[in-house]
């Protein structure tokens, strides 16, 4: 396998890194993902309305000593009621004792409820009791417990029985009336024979009641005792002991109220039932008396009784969570503590009573659970517990051995995690993990496993929240145990990444202090502090209470202290946290000012990691975007930050530039009047300037005029920023009049120019955002530029000029621009006019309604006239003169607000925290040797190795073989300007002079794809290369405006599926030369460096991993750079061919002013190309337009060999591994030589009978490995030549 040779760093016979060691450029998340947040997960775990059972009615119809007439009891028969024998004392006393015991049993589950007993009641007593409890409970739940063991069974008409006052008759009580008295929400427990009849009647009466409510609501009348319609019974719950045709068990070994015992004393009845089963024989000598003497308390998990109750709760919770639908589980097991306890115990009642041929019924109905496998775990727990009982009882106070139940369940959960994924069934042990969090013994392991589960993805977090994990991990934040810190901060990072609404719970419980202490702890690893910073950022994200709490906790100083940490992700989240703390929160902003936060953040603007730089810009943008009233000090700070941010406009990462556009948008909102005045001033100055563009010849030195930078744009104008502030509709800061107007004007001008550059950014998203801001400012300025005419009924009439007040005309419609603004061209429109590719218009102009007709001259704001192809030193096109009388407007209620028109935003923050929602500890699929992606990569590398190996024979004989066998020829759509072979596929990329790139298969002769590079039409592609050609190739296109665009999926759907990976301005100060080379690039795959030069006086080195400029190397030449070559292995020697005929050598290791080590001057004219042979002693090969080809030893200033092609040449290519040189001449021919100067081939005609003459060669290139030559000519033909096939 290709991967087995990983130890051999270099390819045999060559000084090149093998594919496995080559870095993959532009493969970070910011390149492969859209910068957007995750789709919001619908919050279902949090109960919309929590309920509490506040009142309990205990209705006992026992009539002790008298059996009901329709029940024939066995002898002996079950007699115990609430574990009391009613015949052991007087009937009345027994009745009271039973009622008191039942109340105590319920109080174990809900001690704070209001209990009312009704013993052997009448109808009136039941009515009075129910209405009283409902009145006191208001909207909370009421429980109605009915024991009908002393009255007849329910009737088919939906009636239960009570007594008359003298206890001589059984009186029926309609369930319909009971519904009316109890209201909703309520829960009913019916412990009597044939109880299923009551549940069915309840359902029928509920439907009848709902129909009556709907009917009365429709008719608008009230029929219920003048109190309005009764409440619906949809929120009522019923638990019944048996089915409609079933009798209660009469086994004398069981209590008579078996159902009630299961619901209120589950452990006691479970133990008794265990003894009655055959399985009890596993514990010899076990009796019912011994079971009743189990030591401990229900709420003490350290005792035997408490541990059994704990295990029982975990098992029943687990059964319910695994079987019930999630919504039903939330309603029954998480909404109300008493209801949850009753339903847990109901699962036990179903298991026990089914063994006696009774089927408990519930509404809502539950699926059968009595055969769930978890019951076997419960039986095992009872076995292990009860086998110790004889010893514990004999040795009074002897400690018992705790059950291994929880440890075993955690092990099962751990096994599931080894193979867990989203499409598998969820782990049934998850509710048990929740219970284990209560135990200090297992807590650490449980938290570790819980964190690993949450790391599986958002679906796992949602599952954990739905099971009820939230209150447990919230309470654990009160723990001071240091060993829990890493686990808890990881868990909370996962939770907040999926559900940010938890921020309110954290602030309410002071949980933010826990994470502040983690962030401030220098002894914790950086990854844990990163997660703490993320949690704090989420706490303060758009939540004022969180901002206030964090500010009081000193979050700003804590974050600022660690901005210099080595961990880049920590630096990123510290900056994001700071940005969120002071977003629209002035107190935090001034706290940051006191701590010099903005100055400390400046350092991050030069951070080597683009995400950190983007976070710093995000924080500084939020710092200056607060919309509170500004003091002089605040304005100075804002403008100072704006000046520093303007330096970021040339950053190589679009991630950073998008955040910069947002920051500028906030600054524009704060100083909208001043920016509008600057825009208006620049427009006026452009009208007065000379319209001619200075041209610099390729060989002449630049004049001082051409070297004038935009930074020195004249600032003198009769219209100052301050005076412009009085224009109609322009807002002016109250304190600005006391400050230095000139200094502020320079800041506004600098930021405005940066915005204009961003509006022409090669990255579409950056340009769209900046154009939206620019257009809004221009719109603002145009509204206030001069008096407007008013249109009425399609007839123009003159009106007096508007008064310079801030009050808009009375009849101005909000958000409606004047009609002449329809003719304001956005930057998009200028670009679309110059480019056939469609652009996206981001100018938000509301269509004019009710406007009149009339001629409207085109009006182009200054900021929209910078087409992308304009050279930087050009003064720009002059706007078309406007005629005052031809500029109509309409009356509207108010001027449109730039706050709305120019507002831009990104999802960088949401995209950043999406990282925490995704698996963090999972191995990347590309690194997994068993993954499909790894196998595909292995295949590609094996293919590459075969290509390199198979090419060696051709390379060895290339120096004495002809190279004129035309194996491919086809007509390109437009004349080609650059051609490039894919190193390992039979693809050739052909860039034409119309900004398009064709991908051809030169073996099959077919065109595979055609993409538009999206550079302006008046510019052309002058540089092209494959990036990551050894793996998944990207296509890099550089145009002569200095922009570089990198594409992926350029082969998808004939190029229509292309995706822009990144785009940046490799060179921003291109000189307007009469003959220029455009943009010249050299790509180093080994180092990830991009060298760029061309119509400039420098060679710029870009680090594509950092996406930032490393250095500018001055060429010290008075002409452009025509070609570049570099030593990719030594990474020190850099060679530049220049338009003045010189070949200049640079040592990158030296300082920029000293790095030019040699200038070779033997060429008499334009250097067509330079090439550096591979290896430590590689020669330099250069060719000039005059036709002379020279070879140089880098150690000497004189050439070691030279020869002439006898004619002028337009292009030259050298095979990087074979002894062959090709030259394209102006006389429509291609000459092929070896390095000794021997002519190998002369190509003048296309192959075939009467083949036509080839056109003038515009570009040549060799395949990096195969001996193949590609040529593009001005007649739009592209050809590929090969050596003649070897004869066998």
């Amino acid at each position: 396998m290709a991967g087995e040779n990983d130890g051999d760093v270099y390819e045999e016979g060559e000084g090149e890194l093998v594919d496995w060691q080559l870095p993959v450029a532009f493969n970070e998340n910011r390149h492969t993902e859209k910068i957007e947040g995750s789709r919001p997960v619908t919050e279902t775990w949090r109960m919309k309305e929590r309920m509490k059972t506040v009142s309990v009615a205990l209705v006992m119809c026992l009539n002790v000593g008298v059996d009901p007439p329709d029940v024939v009891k066995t002898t002996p028969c079950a007699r115990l009621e609430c574990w009391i024998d009613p015949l052991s004392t007087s009937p009345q006393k027994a009745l009271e004792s039973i009622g008191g015991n039942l109340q105590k049993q319920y109080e174990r589950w809900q001690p704070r409820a209001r209990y009312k007993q009704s013993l052997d009641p009448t109808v009136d007593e039941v009515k009075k009791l129910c209405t009283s409890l409902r009145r006191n409970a208001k909207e909370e739940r009421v429980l109605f417990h009915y024991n009908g063991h002393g009255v007849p069974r329910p009737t088919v008409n939906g009636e239960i029985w009570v007594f008359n006052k003298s206890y001589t008759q059984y009186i029926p009580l309609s369930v319909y009336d009971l519904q009316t008295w109890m209201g909703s929400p309520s829960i009913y427990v019916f412990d009597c024979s044939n109880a299923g009849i009551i549940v069915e009647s309840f359902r029928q009466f509920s439907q009848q009641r709902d129909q009556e409510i709907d009917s009365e609501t429709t008719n608008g009348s009230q029929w219920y005792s003048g109190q309005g319609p009764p409440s619906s019974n949809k929120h009522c719950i019923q638990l019944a002991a048996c089915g409609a045709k079933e009798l209660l068990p009469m086994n004398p070994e069981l209590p008579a109220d078996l159902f009630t015992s299961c619901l209120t004393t589950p452990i006691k009845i479970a133990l008794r039932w265990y003894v009655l089963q055959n399985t009890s024989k596993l514990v010899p000598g076990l009796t019912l008396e011994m079971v009743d003497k189990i030591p401990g308390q229900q709420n003490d998990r350290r005792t035997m009784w408490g541990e059994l109750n704990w295990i029982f709760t975990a098992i029943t919770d687990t059964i319910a969570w695994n079987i019930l639908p999630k919504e039903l589980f939330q309603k029954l097991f998480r909404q109300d503590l008493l209801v949850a306890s009753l339903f847990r115990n109901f699962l036990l009642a179903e298991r026990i009573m089914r063994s006696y041929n009774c089927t408990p019924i519930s509404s809502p109905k539950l699926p059968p659970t009595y055969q769930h496998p978890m019951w076997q775990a419960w039986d095992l727990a009872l076995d292990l517990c009860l086998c110790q009982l004889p010893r514990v009882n004999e040795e009074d106070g002897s400690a018992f051995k705790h059950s291994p139940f929880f440890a075993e369940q955690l092990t099962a959960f751990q096994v599931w995690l080894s193979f867990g994924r989203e499409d598998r069934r969820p782990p049934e042990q998850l509710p048990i993990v929740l219970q284990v969090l209560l135990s200090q013994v297992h807590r650490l392991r449980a938290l570790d496993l819980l964190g690993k589960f949450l790391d599986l993805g958002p679906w796992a977090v949602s599952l954990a929240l739905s099971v009820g994990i939230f209150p447990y991990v919230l309470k654990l934040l009160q723990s001071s145990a240091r060993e829990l810190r890493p686990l808890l901060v990881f868990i909370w990072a996962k939770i907040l990444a999926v559900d940010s609404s938890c921020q309110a719970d954290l602030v309410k419980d002071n949980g933010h202090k826990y994470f502040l202490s983690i962030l401030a702890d220098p002894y914790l690893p950086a990854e844990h502090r990163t997660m703490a910073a993320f949690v704090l950022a989420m706490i303060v994200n758009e939540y004022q209470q969180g901002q206030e709490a964090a500010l009081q906790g000193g979050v700003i100083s804590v974050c600022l202290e660690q901005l210099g940490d080595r961990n880049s992700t920590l630096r990123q989240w510290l900056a994001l946290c700071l940005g969120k703390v002071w977003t629209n929160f002035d107190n935090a902003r001034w706290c940051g000012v006191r701590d010099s936060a903005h100055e400390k953040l400046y350092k991050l603007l030069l951070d080597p990691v683009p995400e950190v730089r983007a976070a710093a810009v995000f924080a500084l943008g939020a710092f200056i975007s607060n919309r509170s009233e500004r003091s002089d000090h605040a304005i100075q700070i804002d403008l100072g930050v704006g000046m520093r941010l303007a330096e970021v406009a040339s950053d190589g990462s679009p991630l950073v530039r998008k955040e910069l556009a947002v920051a500028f948008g906030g600054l524009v909102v704060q100083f909208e009047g001043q920016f509008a005045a600057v825009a208006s001033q620049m427009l006026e100055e452009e009208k007065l300037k000379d319209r001619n563009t200075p041209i610099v010849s390729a060989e002449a030195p630049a004049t001082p005029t051409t070297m004038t930078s935009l930074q020195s744009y004249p600032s003198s104008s009769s219209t100052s920023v301050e005076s412009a502030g009085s224009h109609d509709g322009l807002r002016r800061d109250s304190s600005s009049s006391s400050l230095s107007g000139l200094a502020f004007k320079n800041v506004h001008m600098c930021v405005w120019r940066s915005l204009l550059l961003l509006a022409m950014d090669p990255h579409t998203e950056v340009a769209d955002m900046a154009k939206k801001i620019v257009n809004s400012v221009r719109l603002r300025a145009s509204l206030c530029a001069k008096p407007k005419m008013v249109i009425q009924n399609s007839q123009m009439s003159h009106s007096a000029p508007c008064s310079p007040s801030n009050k808009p005309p009375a009849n101005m419609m909000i958000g409606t621009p004047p009609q002449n603004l329809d003719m304001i061209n956005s930057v998009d429109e200028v670009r679309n006019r110059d480019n056939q590719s469609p652009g996206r218009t981001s100018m938000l102009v509301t269509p004019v309604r009710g406007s009149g007709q009339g001629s409207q001259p085109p009006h182009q704001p200054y900021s929209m006239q910078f087409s992308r192809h304009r050279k930087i030193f050009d003064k720009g096109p002059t706007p078309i003169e406007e005629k005052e009388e031809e500029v109509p407007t309409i009356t509207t209620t108010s001027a449109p607000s730039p706050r709305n028109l120019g507002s831009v935003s990104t999802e960088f923050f949401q995209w950043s925290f999406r990282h925490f929602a995704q698996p963090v500890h999972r191995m990347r699929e590309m690194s997994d040797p068993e993954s499909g992606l790894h196998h595909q990569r292995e295949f590609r590398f094996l293919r590459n190795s075969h290509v390199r190996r198979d090419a060696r024979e051709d390379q060895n004989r290339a120096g004495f073989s002809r190279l004129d066998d035309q194996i491919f020829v086809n007509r390109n759509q437009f004349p080609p300007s650059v051609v490039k072979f894919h190193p390992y596929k039979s693809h050739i990329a052909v860039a034409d002079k119309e900004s398009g790139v064709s991908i051809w298969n030169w073996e099959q002769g077919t065109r595979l794809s055609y993409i538009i590079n999206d550079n302006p039409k008046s510019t052309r592609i002058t540089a092209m290369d494959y990036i990551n050609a050894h793996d998944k190739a990207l296509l890099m296109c550089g145009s002569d405006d200095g922009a570089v665009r990198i594409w992926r999926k350029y082969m998808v759907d004939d190029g229509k599926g292309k995706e822009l990976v990144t785009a940046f301005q490799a060179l921003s100060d291109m000189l307007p030369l009469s003959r220029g080379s455009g943009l010249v690039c050299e790509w180093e795959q080994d180092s990830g460096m991009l060298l760029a030069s061309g119509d400039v006086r420098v060679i710029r080195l870009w680090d594509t991993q950092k996406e930032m400029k490393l250095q500018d190397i001055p060429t010290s030449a008075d002409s452009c750079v025509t070609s570049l070559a570099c030593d990719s292995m030594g990474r020190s020697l850099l060679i530049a061919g220049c338009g003045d005929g010189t070949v200049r050598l640079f040592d990158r290791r030296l300082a920029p002013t000293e790095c030019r080590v040699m200038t070779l001057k033997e060429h008499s004219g334009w250097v067509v190309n330079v090439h550096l042979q591979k290896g430590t002693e590689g020669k330099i090969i250069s060719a000039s337009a005059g036709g002379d080809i020279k070879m140089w030893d880098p150690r000497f200033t004189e050439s070691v060999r030279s020869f002439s092609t006898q004619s002028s040449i337009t292009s030259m290519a050298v095979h990087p591994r074979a002894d062959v040189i090709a030259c394209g001449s102006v006389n429509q021919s291609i000459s092929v030589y070896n390095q000794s100067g021997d002519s190998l081939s002369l190509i003048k005609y296309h192959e075939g009978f009467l083949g036509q003459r080839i056109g003038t060669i515009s570009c040549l290139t060799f395949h990096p490995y195969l001996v193949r030559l590609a040529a593009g000519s001005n007649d739009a033909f592209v050809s590929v030549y090969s050596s003649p096939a070897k004869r066998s």
Side-chain angles (χ1 to χ4, degrees), residues 165-226:
K165 291 184 178 181
S166 58
Y167 300 99
T168 58
Q169 290 181 342
Y170 299 110
I171 306 298
L173 170 60
S174 173
V175 174
Y176 185 90
D177 293 335
L178 185 61
Q179 287 179 346
T180 303
W181 303 333
M182 286 289 294
S184 176
S186 300
I187 179 171
Y188 301 82
V189 177
F190 299 110
D191 188 353
C192 59
S193 296
N194 303 133
I197 294 177
I198 307 176
V199 176
E200 178 60 25
S201 300
F202 194 99
R203 183 186 64 80
Q204 294 176 359
F205 291 144
S206 294
Q207 292 178 352
Q208 176 185 342
R209 186 176 300 276
D210 290 340
Q211 292 174 1
E212 292 172 351
I213 292 175
D214 294 341
S215 173
E216 295 300 322
T217 302
T218 303
N219 297 332
S221 59
Q222 297 181 353
W223 57 273
Y224 177 65
S225 303

Side-chain angles (χ1 to χ4, degrees), residues 264-474:
T264 57
T265 56
I267 305 302
K268 187 172 184 178
I269 192 63
L271 291 170
R272 292 180 68 88
W273 185 68
Y274 174 84
V275 174
L276 297 176
Q277 305 303 304
N278 292 331
T279 54
S280 64
K281 296 177 181 178
L282 297 173
V283 185
L286 190 64
T287 63
L288 292 176
E289 290 74 17
M290 294 175 62
V291 167
D292 290 338
K293 296 179 181 179
I294 287 183
Q297 298 294 325
Q298 177 175 308
N299 297 326
D300 189 354
R301 292 188 296 273
R302 296 170 297 179
T303 64
M304 184 179 291
W305 187 279
E307 186 177 65
L308 282 176
N309 183 68
W310 185 25
I311 295 173
F312 175 79
T313 302
I315 286 177
T316 50
D317 240 19
T318 301
I319 294 174
W321 187 75
N322 282 282
I323 287 184
L324 300 186
K326 293 299 180 282
E327 291 184 1
L328 187 59
F329 175 81
Q330 292 286 332
K331 177 181 178 181
L332 301 182
F333 287 81
R334 293 295 180 263
Q335 191 181 54
D336 187 321
L337 290 178
L338 181 57
V339 172
S341 299
L342 290 178
F343 269 93
R344 286 193 199 99
N345 303 341
F346 178 80
L347 302 184
L348 176 68
E350 183 189 16
R351 187 185 190 214
I352 293 178
M353 298 190 72
R354 274 182 179 269
S355 66
Y356 298 105
N357 299 320
C358 275
T359 305
I361 296 175
S362 68
S363 176
K365 185 178 180 180
L366 304 185
T369 60
Y370 65 101
Q371 291 182 327
H372 195 277
M374 287 302 295
W375 285 121
Q376 298 176 12
W378 169 245
D379 292 339
L380 177 60
L382 288 180
D383 284 337
L384 297 177
C385 178
L386 294 178
C387 70
Q388 305 178 59
L389 190 57
R391 176 179 58 83
V392 173
N393 286 339
E394 289 174 4
E395 304 173 10
D396 192 23
S398 173
F400 77 102
K401 184 179 179 181
H402 288 281
S403 171
F405 170 79
F406 289 106
E408 292 170 350
Q409 293 299 318
L410 286 179
T411 301
F413 184 56
Q414 187 173 1
V415 171
W416 187 95
L417 286 175
S418 303
F419 307 96
R421 58 182 185 271
E422 186 173 3
D423 55 357
R424 284 192 65 196
R425 184 178 178 183
E428 64 180 16
Q429 299 84 11
L430 195 57
I432 298 176
V433 176
L434 178 147
Q435 292 292 329
V436 174
L437 294 179
L438 301 172
S439 167
Q440 291 185 353
V441 177
H442 305 290
R443 181 176 295 161
L444 198 63
R445 184 186 179 196
L447 284 173
D448 180 50
L449 294 177
L450 177 60
K452 292 179 179 177
F453 176 72
L454 299 181
D455 194 41
L456 294 178
W459 63 272
V461 177
S462 298
L463 273 180
L465 291 174
S466 70
V467 83
I469 214 83
F470 183 78
Y472 292 79
V473 293
L474 183 62

Side-chain angles (χ1 to χ4, degrees), residues 681 685 712-719 742 745-746 749 753:
Q681 172 189 337
E685 290 178 351
S712 58
Y713 191 96
S715 59
S716 60
S717 174
S718 58
T719 306
L742 182 60
K745 183 173 67 174
N746 290 337
M749 190 73 74
R753 292 193 190 102

Side-chain angles (χ1 to χ4, degrees), residues 946-1112:
H946 289 164
V947 170
R948 291 190 291 264
R949 183 191 62 200
D950 297 343
R952 285 174 187 153
E953 183 177 353
D954 284 348
Q955 294 170 9
N956 292 334
R957 59 189 180 91
F960 50 84
S961 300
R962 291 168 42 224
L963 185 62
D964 54 7
D965 186 9
Q966 190 175 54
I967 60 176
F968 167 81
V969 62
N970 222 314
R971 189 180 185 90
N972 203 50
Q973 188 169 354
F974 299 102
S977 58
V978 187
V979 290
K980 197 72 178 180
F981 277 105
H982 190 291
Y984 303 109
K985 292 182 179 180
S986 57
H987 297 170
I988 184 170
V990 182
D992 57 48
K993 297 181 179 180
E994 297 294 330
S995 304
V997 179
S998 301
I999 310 295
W1000 294 87
N1001 186 317
W1002 52 267
E1003 284 186 344
Q1004 299 177 359
T1006 57
R1007 195 181 77 170
L1008 304 176
S1009 175
Y1010 184 78
I1011 68 169
I1012 300 295
N1013 188 49
D1014 292 345
N1015 53 291
K1017 182 180 178 181
S1018 58
T1019 64
R1020 62 189 179 95
I1021 298 175
T1022 58
M1024 185 170 60
D1025 209 337
Y1026 284 102
I1027 295 178
N1028 306 332
H1030 66 295
D1031 203 343
K1032 289 186 175 180
L1034 306 174
L1035 186 64
M1036 180 188 73
C1037 300
S1039 50
D1040 62 357
D1041 57 357
V1044 169
R1045 294 172 176 84
I1046 299 176
W1047 304 96
R1048 64 167 166 258
K1049 296 184 179 180
Y1050 53 87
M1051 301 281 288
V1052 176
D1053 194 18
D1054 194 25
K1056 297 177 183 176
K1058 69 180 184 197
E1059 294 181 3
L1060 185 62
V1061 178
T1062 188
F1064 60 98
Q1065 201 69 27
L1067 298 172
S1068 56
D1069 48 359
M1070 306 288 281
L1071 297 175
L1073 305 177
S1074 58
R1075 180 189 179 188
S1077 57
L1079 175 65
V1080 178
C1081 292
E1082 180 73 10
W1083 167 246
E1084 292 183 357
Q1085 184 70 51
D1086 295 356
S1087 62
M1089 298 289 180
L1090 178 66
L1091 286 66
S1093 189
D1095 296 342
V1096 288
R1097 300 292 187 257
V1098 296
I1099 302 172
R1100 183 163 294 171
L1101 275 62
W1102 288 91
D1103 187 330
T1104 58
Q1105 181 66 29
K1106 301 175 182 178
E1107 296 191 59
M1108 63 188 307
K1109 181 183 71 174
L1110 284 185
Q1111 64 178 131
D1112 280 346

